[in-house]
Amino acid sequence: MSLGIPFLEKFFPDESKKTIKKLLPLVDKVFSYEEELKALSDEELKERGLSLKKEVIGRLEGKEGDELKYEEKKVLHEVLPLAFALVRESSRRTLHMMHYRVQVIGGILLHEGNISEMRTGEGKTLVATLPAYLNALSGRGVHVVTVNDYLSRRDAVWMGQVFDALGLTVSVINHQSSYLYDSTEIEDKSEDKERDDVGSYKIVYDYLKPCTRQEAYLADITYGTNNEFGFDYLRDNIGYNKEQLSQRVHHYAIVDEIDSILIDEARTPLIISAPAQESSEMYVTFAKIARTLIRDEDYAVDEKQRAITLTEQGINKAEEMLGISNIYSVEGMKYVHHLETAVRAEALFVPEREYVVRDGEVIIVDEFTGRMQPGRRWSDGLHQAVEAKEGVKIEQESRTLASITFQNYFRFYEKLSGMTGTAETSKEEFYKVYGLVVTPVPTHNPINRTDHPDLIFQTEKGKWQALARKVKELHEKGQPVLIGTISIEKNEAISKYLEREGVPHSVLNAKNHEKEGEIIANAGLRGAVTIATNMAGRGVDIKLGGPNATESEKEEIIALGGLFVIGTERHEARRIDNQLRGRSGRQGDKGETQFFVSLEDDLMRVFGSENIKNMMGRFGIPEDEPIESRLVSRALEGAQEKIEGFHFDTRKHTLQYDDVLNHQRTSIYNKRRRILFGDEEIVVEVFAELTTLKPELEALIQEKENQYGKGAVHHIFRIMMLQVIDTLWMEHLDQMEHLRSSVNLRAYGQRDPLVEYKKEGLRAFRSLEVTLKNELMTFLENIDGFFASQQARAQADFVQVIPEAPSPDKNASLQDGKVKAGRNDPCPCGNGKKVKKCDCEEYKYLRN
Ligand code: ADP
Ligand code: MG
């Protein structure tokens, strides 16, 4: 029996072969709809698409939680063949491409929540449309994750037409902007024609209409980068207005170039931070106030409980100094915590007993052993309060408002999948961290690329010289060359050598993705020489003879040997080297690759053995003469493996630490969400908790509810909870950061830092919960003050008076003061023309 996939038998490991063979009947089913769907009119096709969505949503109606997930899985599996067939037909009409069998296999694997390993140029962008459409049918949104903003716009405009023709909506989230795919304003066919020609590397902006973040997330399919998805998640969890929350559920994500996103970028977490000037000053102000307050008059001290209570007189004094009329009001509430903490620092913390000041730092003294504990910090702003009291530097350059690792963000998705040309070497990590199985998918055409053995030089200079000579030779012959480097610095070095040889070339540094996309798309032209760093031009296909080459133009390049890819040194990860090689030999094209390495390359210097150096010296090989040595190549690969292992450990480490926090984060954010969405239960729950701690509160709450109305009390209590939670959570994040560095310092004491971190982290979180309750009790006891101040104000909406959460960073603010308008909207300058046709200066930025 023929499998319809000629290359499966020969090359594939048994395991993947088995997986793929099992899918073949399903592939046949997809193909079986072909004729039937071809016969439909465009309207009928859209109708088919929409009715399928209606059917799926109908079958899931009223279901929730696990039942919903279970049913969804079942329904989607049933409709897969038709859904995929619809996408193929839609793609045929709009993109003039029809998914190959191997692409359908890749699509099924993605739908099942795996990683499809498909080589560069196999058409992964198109593959993703299959599972994206299928999973969007349940109306819960699909996220397609790209490595940069440019690619997300490109893919949305390019692939948007496939979904659009089936009645689905498509959007893009970018840094500072969001768009909906919109073809309704396209007047003539020229834009569509333009897109057909250049869509794989250039964006036809007329198809993108600016929209809000929320609108973008409401679309069926949303394209965007890992950063934007992650930051939106964090922003949503520091926001104060439920109307501004943007993300819906984390339903299904397809991550393109998944190795780059989940491995290369996973070493550093996403952090939203705010400059801390204001709060630094705040600590100083409160330290000053605390100093002027008089013990036993302005506040009472409970030595045993190590607590203080402010008296009426003390509160009045503080209010006067702060210049506010009522500290127990919404605006004042954030001060209460600072005030109390400052007074505690003043009254209960004594130098040389609780702490010492050394070299401008406040160091905790362990209460039992009397030992100093550098690096450790008190929580809930207490440490800062003591620093302010002592007049030393307040340790808070910027405050973390929220943070998360990519690992933990992407684990939120009910279903996660990804694609890349290079996942095999990181198989273990994908499985262990994300539970993702990597399955290599055979290529559509046989692979026809020659990977030459590495050339090894003694010196870097010798390497550059030989490399430049080689490039010159290839260039003169007309064979296109792509030179890959690991840094901008190396790009420049090579560029100089090429100039010396008189070889014209382009240099790409991954600075302007859009412009570089266009250059890389042309890297397959006759005689082209392109130098690019790793990420430059990533995701854009290099077609032999250029993006719109005729068959004979392409043949000409093939006769020359296809694209020649030169690597200028081995990267730390084999995966990245393979990625570079993969640029050549797309879809069965002819091509060549070769790495030029020298004993002076970082990888060799650090990991290579002295033997090799000595050996080359002994044989008297000139510096620009290469040797080909199995020994050296093996040494390099050994070094790469070692480093890969090392980085894997680092990422595992980051994750293990974030896991501790993740637990706490999830608990806090869930609470926060319930509060924000007006969940009545949460108030009742918290009241119950508080009254168990302090039974007399019960009567008080009852009384206040009668006095002001239950609704009003609950509403204001919710607002207060949000504020207190946020203040404490931020302080907690600070403390956890400090804890993280201090446990490492303590590691010499034979203790496992992670265990210590977990233990102390838990303790800190418990203390946060206690403080939270205490502050809420204080608030309840002083609720009259709040209503007094509230009455003085015109009955404004309470939500209005809540301070805006600080925007993540200046650049990320959506309110950048600029008018937003689509290219097809009337220009805001008012001359009656459409934006794209207008020539005014003022709104030039709208025309891109
Ligand atoms: P990858 O992301 O896998 O490297 P791309 O998605 O950039 O590949 O696609 C490479 C090229 O292959 C695209 O320019 C696209 O036009 C072409 N292509 C993909 N699938 C098909 C198909 N089924 N039929 C014809 N051309 C295709
Ligand atoms: Mg791609």
Side-chain angles (χ1 to χ4, degrees):
M1 179 191 81
S2 159
L3 302 177
I5 302 168
F7 314 107
L8 182 59
E9 292 302 337
K10 254 194 264 169
F11 298 108
F12 271 70
D14 282 348
E15 209 181 316
S16 322
K17 213 187 296 183
K18 243 192 265 159
T19 310
I20 290 172
K21 270 190 187 168
K22 258 193 261 161
L23 301 179
L24 295 177
L26 204 52
V27 179
D28 288 334
K29 253 197 214 155
V30 174
F31 274 67
S32 71
Y33 283 100
E34 206 171 306
E35 293 312 316
E36 181 193 335
L37 296 183
K38 250 184 201 160
L40 300 179
S41 71
D42 287 355
E43 287 70 33
E44 284 166 338
L45 185 72
K46 188 176 253 182
E47 202 35 61
R48 262 317 255 287
L50 283 170
S51 72
L52 187 60
K53 187 177 179 195
K54 214 151 124 200
E55 180 196 329
V56 172
I57 290 182
R59 285 176 63 180
L60 299 177
E61 211 178 288
K63 304 214 162 37
E64 272 179 37
D66 287 343
E67 197 198 352
L68 172 65
K69 284 180 208 167
Y70 175 80
E71 196 61 27
E72 182 178 355
K73 193 170 166 187
K74 204 171 96 192
V75 175
L76 293 187
H77 183 74
E78 276 174 40
V79 304
L80 185 147
L82 175 58
F84 276 28
L86 284 167
V87 176
R88 286 188 75 231
E89 176 56 22
S90 170
S91 160
R92 185 184 68 84
R93 294 180 192 205
T94 55
L95 290 167
H96 318 295
M97 300 192 261
M98 230 176 162
H99 304 65
Y100 307 127
R101 285 177 75 84
V102 285
Q103 289 179 314
V104 171
I105 290 172
I108 300 173
L109 290 168
L110 291 175
H111 166 67
E112 290 178 347
N114 299 298
I115 293 178
S116 296
E117 188 184 64
M118 301 180 76
R119 299 176 71 130
T120 309
E122 284 294 301
K124 291 186 283 294
T125 323
L126 189 65
V127 171
T129 56
L130 298 165
Y133 174 74
L134 174 63
N135 285 271
L137 290 176
S138 58
R140 300 169 68 221
V142 171
H143 296 171
V144 185
V145 185
T146 61
V147 288
N148 61 48
D149 277 354
Y150 153 68
L151 285 175
S152 67
R153 294 193 300 273
R154 180 200 71 168
D155 291 0
V157 171
W158 195 22
M159 298 296 133
Q161 49 194 327
V162 177
F163 303 117
D164 190 46
L166 295 171
L168 293 194
T169 53
V170 178
S171 66
V172 185
I173 54 158
N174 273 180
H175 190 59
Q176 293 191 313
S177 53
S178 328
Y179 308 93
L180 282 173
Y181 174 89
D182 180 14
S183 60
T184 54
E185 295 280 342
I186 305 289
E187 295 130 23
D188 46 48
K189 286 271 167 218
S190 70
E191 280 119 329
D192 193 22
K193 171 80 177 63
E194 184 189 358
R195 179 171 60 179
D196 286 346
D197 292 343
V198 301
S200 67
Y201 61 94
K202 226 176 146 160
I203 300 157
V204 182
Y205 278 96
D206 293 346
Y207 288 95
L208 294 178
K209 185 172 137 192
C211 69
T212 65
R213 222 50 171 182
Q214 291 89 329
E215 286 169 328
Y217 277 109
L218 283 172
D220 292 306
I221 292 152
T222 305
Y223 285 88
T225 62
N226 47 328
N227 279 347
E228 291 308 312
F229 282 117
F231 274 132
D232 281 340
Y233 167 75
L234 292 178
R235 278 175 211 139
D236 276 357
N237 283 299
I238 54 176
Y240 273 91
N241 190 340
K242 73 170 183 233
E243 273 71 48
Q244 279 175 2
L245 299 196
S246 47
Q247 292 189 341
R248 295 192 278 163
V249 278
H250 294 99
H251 173 229
Y252 174 52
I254 305 169
V255 183
D256 192 9
E257 311 262 5
I258 193 168
D259 56 329
S260 163
I261 290 175
L262 292 192
I263 293 184
D264 298 336
E265 296 202 20
R267 249 181 290 170
T268 40
L270 282 175
I271 294 175
I272 292 187
S273 54
Q277 274 108 334
E278 191 204 63
S279 57
S280 261
E281 277 163 31
M282 186 122 88
Y283 288 113
V284 175
T285 310
F286 282 100
K288 230 182 270 166
I289 295 174
R291 211 170 305 137
T292 54
L293 297 184
I294 300 162
R295 190 177 175 136
D296 297 334
E297 277 180 31
D298 296 329
Y299 58 88
V301 180
D302 180 341
E303 294 274 0
K304 226 168 65 207
Q305 297 283 326
R306 299 195 61 73
I308 58 105
T309 324
L310 289 158
T311 64
E312 195 62 41
Q313 182 187 321
I315 290 170
N316 287 341
K317 263 195 189 171
E319 283 170 349
E320 203 171 301
M321 277 184 275
L322 285 169
I324 59 173
S325 59
N326 185 354
I327 199 168
Y328 290 104
S329 63
V330 173
E331 304 93 322
M333 197 58 198
K334 66 176 173 196
Y335 298 137
V336 175
H337 171 67
H338 282 288
L339 178 61
E340 288 181 348
T341 311
V343 176
R344 274 183 76 206
E346 180 67 30
L348 289 164
F349 289 77
V350 179
E352 307 300 325
R353 194 179 75 194
E354 273 80 18
Y355 64 93
V356 294
V357 181
R358 290 270 184 291
D359 304 325
E361 265 182 65
V362 172
I363 300 171
I364 300 180
V365 175
D366 187 279
E367 56 181 316
F368 300 112
T369 62
R371 261 210 308 265
M372 287 201 284
Q373 302 189 302
R376 280 195 58 194
R377 295 180 61 87
W378 285 304
S379 59
D380 298 342
L382 178 60
H383 213 96
Q384 287 86 342
V386 175
E387 284 167 338
K389 167 188 167 190
E390 290 293 336
V392 300
K393 184 161 161 279
I394 295 165
E395 276 299 324
Q396 260 191 323
E397 301 303 56
S398 71
R399 313 204 57 184
T400 301
L401 294 182
S403 81
I404 193 167
T405 53
F406 283 123
Q407 288 97 320
N408 274 323
Y409 174 73
F410 281 104
R411 291 200 297 200
F412 282 138
Y413 284 89
E414 285 169 28
K415 188 163 73 184
L416 181 63
S417 66
M419 36 190 205
T420 171
T422 45
E424 261 305 274
T425 51
S426 303
K427 212 157 114 174
E428 187 194 346
E429 181 162 352
F430 281 124
Y431 188 70
K432 280 192 177 155
V433 177
Y434 301 97
L436 289 169
V437 175
V438 175
T439 305
V441 178
T443 52
H444 177 60
N445 288 315
I447 297 159
N448 198 5
R449 187 184 78 202
T450 314
D451 296 331
H452 300 289
D454 294 358
L455 295 180
I456 300 144
F457 299 85
Q458 281 188 73
T459 65
E460 193 173 38
K461 185 164 153 243
K463 174 177 82 175
W464 293 145
Q465 286 168 344
L467 191 147
R469 274 204 310 271
K470 174 78 179 177
V471 174
K472 184 177 184 176
E473 179 195 315
L474 294 169
H475 171 69
E476 278 167 0
K477 186 172 97 171
Q479 186 172 5
V481 188
L482 174 70
I483 305 165
T485 71
I486 62 169
S487 69
I488 295 180
E489 190 194 340
K490 297 281 147 95
N491 269 0
E492 279 156 13
I494 299 172
S495 177
K496 285 220 183 74
Y497 279 94
L498 288 185
E499 263 165 39
R500 223 171 284 163
E501 295 283 342
V503 181
H505 56 274
S506 327
V507 183
L508 308 182
N509 290 332
K511 277 186 187 151
N512 181 338
H513 294 298
E514 186 154 5
K515 217 170 88 203
E516 296 182 7
E518 192 165 349
I519 297 175
I520 205 95
N522 285 297
L525 286 173
R526 192 193 163 98
V529 175
T530 315
I531 309 172
T533 53
N534 235 312
M535 288 307 290
R538 192 148 185 190
V540 177
D541 193 30
I542 304 177
K543 289 201 175 97
L544 297 183
N548 297 305
T550 61
E551 214 34 53
S552 76
E553 284 165 331
K554 184 178 162 184
E555 285 306 321
E556 184 191 341
I557 306 294
I558 289 178
L560 291 165
L563 180 68
F564 200 119
V565 164
I566 296 181
T568 54
E569 65 194 274
R570 288 296 200 101
H571 191 273
E572 288 184 347
R574 288 167 296 173
R575 192 168 40 77
I576 309 287
D577 291 344
N578 293 339
Q579 184 92 41
L580 177 62
R581 287 196 205 272
R583 289 308 212 137
S584 171
R586 59 176 291 281
Q587 299 203 352
D589 286 347
K590 220 169 146 189
E592 297 175 67
T593 74
Q594 185 156 43
F595 275 78
F596 282 55
V597 300
S598 90
L599 299 182
E600 289 177 348
D601 294 352
D602 287 344
L603 196 65
M604 271 308 227
R605 270 193 305 104
V606 182
F607 290 92
S609 71
E610 274 304 306
N611 288 348
I612 299 165
K613 240 179 230 176
N614 295 340
M615 182 189 79
M616 286 186 84
R618 230 186 7 254
F619 292 150
I621 302 167
E623 65 175 353
D624 60 347
E625 277 296 313
I627 56 159
E628 276 176 31
S629 154
R630 295 283 314 139
L631 190 72
V632 179
S633 292
R634 227 177 303 135
L636 271 173
E637 266 158 39
Q640 285 179 312
E641 243 172 284
K642 238 184 285 173
I643 302 175
E644 283 165 20
F646 170 76
H647 286 321
F648 181 18
D649 286 344
T650 325
R651 287 186 296 269
K652 237 179 4 201
H653 215 67
T654 309
L655 185 60
Q656 282 167 337
Y657 279 86
D658 192 55
D659 278 346
V660 178
L661 202 54
N662 202 39
H663 215 72
Q664 306 175 347
R665 176 171 42 228
T666 312
S667 142
I668 287 283
Y669 284 177
N670 281 345
K671 200 175 244 170
R672 214 182 173 281
R673 236 164 217 274
R674 291 179 61 198
I675 300 169
L676 208 51
F677 280 91
D679 182 344
E680 194 54 25
E681 279 291 298
I682 183 102
V683 179
V684 178
E685 274 168 36
V686 176
F687 278 173
E689 276 175 40
L690 299 183
T691 44
T692 355
L693 290 170
K694 207 171 187 182
E696 56 269 38
L697 276 180
E698 188 149 7
L700 179 77
I701 292 170
Q702 197 58 58
E703 183 198 324
K704 298 302 162 195
E705 284 182 356
N706 291 339
Q707 188 178 346
Y708 301 110
K710 189 167 166 177
V713 170
H714 286 204
H715 184 69
I716 197 63
F717 188 71
R718 259 205 293 272
I719 294 175
M720 206 49 59
M721 275 196 286
L722 275 187
Q723 288 225 356
V724 181
I725 286 176
D726 287 350
T727 313
L728 294 179
W729 177 244
M730 263 196 287
E731 269 156 13
H732 183 69
L733 287 178
D734 276 353
Q735 201 202 352
M736 294 296 279
E737 254 167 60
H738 282 288
L739 186 60
R740 168 117 198 232
S741 40
S742 83
V743 290
N744 282 324
L745 288 177
R746 278 185 282 161
Y748 52 78
Q750 302 281 316
R751 281 183 289 191
D752 178 353
L754 184 62
V755 173
E756 292 291 299
Y757 179 80
K758 275 185 191 157
K759 230 165 49 194
E760 300 256 331
L762 183 63
R763 191 161 33 190
F765 193 65
R766 292 226 173 100
S767 127
L768 177 154
E769 289 175 322
V770 172
T771 315
L772 174 64
K773 283 178 196 151
N774 285 339
E775 299 207 354
L776 290 176
M777 284 194 259
T778 313
F779 168 72
L780 278 178
E781 283 159 358
N782 292 281
I783 201 165
D784 285 338
F786 172 78
F787 279 101
S789 76
Q790 201 54 32
Q791 267 154 16
R793 208 192 317 266
Q795 257 324 87
D797 183 5
F798 290 156
V799 181
Q800 301 263 312
V801 298
I802 301 177
E804 271 298 307
S807 91
D809 61 46
K810 268 196 246 76
N811 299 326
S813 157
L814 286 170
Q815 286 88 18
D816 55 3
K818 285 190 178 172
V819 179
K820 302 248 184 271
R823 288 172 52 82
N824 287 303
D825 292 338
C827 187
C829 73
N831 75 357
K833 290 186 196 164
K834 289 192 172 192
V835 164
K836 63 181 178 191
K837 302 256 164 73
C838 191
D839 50 9
C840 70
E841 260 309 298
E842 190 180 358
Y843 296 101
K844 206 166 132 193
Y845 62 86
L846 292 172
R847 303 195 291 270
N848 296 297

